[in-house]
Amino acid sequence: MADPRLNSLHLDNNRRIEYRRAREVLLNAHGSHTLHAFDESAASGSARTIIPKNNGSAARPLTCWLSDGEFLYPLQIGLNTLGRANDNNVVIEDAYVSRRQCAILIHSTEIAELHDTASKNGTYLNGQRLTVPVVLRNGDEIRMSEHKYTFFNREGNVPVESLDGTIVH
């Protein structure tokens, strides 16, 4: 899978080695069903980072999403990247956040894994620095620098309308 969001050309040699190791773990975590589902959603154009809100509900049902208290960030099946580069699914404007800080892999079974991609300042899950990929649970807090996101999925039975936050274009 040649995803241009996962290139490492901008890193110095030592960080590039760490990043490539983390990238291999991430890419090897994809299953064939997840890759197939990701290809279908990408073809349908549903890979938008932020979606519009219609009368208090999402335009299409969300299976997994992040919330920072102000916005909701839908996560698609497949690879979702977070960082300060403009081509990430969730763009974080902060000099202390890496270009490609971390990734959330959503499997076709809607199980979500959080992977730190050898970020310089680390990715934290519920206050603990991430050292290996972990499965996310409803309500988990992800922190990068001073930015906090809460992970939600349908299994938590939290209606999108009840969350503090706005789904915007």
Side-chain angles (χ1 to χ4, degrees), residues 2 31 78 130 136 147:
L130 210 60
L136 289 169
H147 303 273

Side-chain angles (χ1 to χ4, degrees), residues 29-39 77-79 105-109:
H30 284 82
S32 59
H33 291 327
T34 299
L35 287 174
H36 178 71
F38 174 70
D39 287 344
I77 291 176
L79 182 65
L105 178 61
I106 307 292
H107 294 278
S108 60
T109 58

Side-chain angles (χ1 to χ4, degrees), residues 6 26 79-82 100-105 113-117 123 130 136:
L6 298 177
L26 173 63
L79 182 65
N80 299 271
T81 57
L82 292 83
R100 201 79 61 215
Q101 178 81 22
C102 64
I104 299 175
L105 178 61
E113 294 179 16
L114 177 62
H115 294 252
D116 181 78
T117 50
T123 302
L130 210 60
L136 289 169

Side-chain angles (χ1 to χ4, degrees), residues 55-121:
N55 299 326
S57 63
R60 68 179 193 279
L62 300 177
T63 57
C64 298
W65 63 96
L66 296 175
S67 173
D68 64 3
E70 186 176 356
F71 296 103
L72 301 179
Y73 302 88
L75 302 173
Q76 63 192 2
I77 291 176
L79 182 65
N80 299 271
T81 57
L82 292 83
R84 73 170 197 273
N86 288 332
D87 61 346
N88 285 302
N89 297 87
V90 178
V91 177
I92 304 165
E93 295 179 10
D94 185 329
Y96 293 104
V97 173
S98 296
R99 289 181 185 104
R100 201 79 61 215
Q101 178 81 22
C102 64
I104 299 175
L105 178 61
I106 307 292
H107 294 278
S108 60
T109 58
E110 297 180 10
I111 292 174
E113 294 179 16
L114 177 62
H115 294 252
D116 181 78
T117 50
S119 63
K120 193 170 192 175
N121 294 318

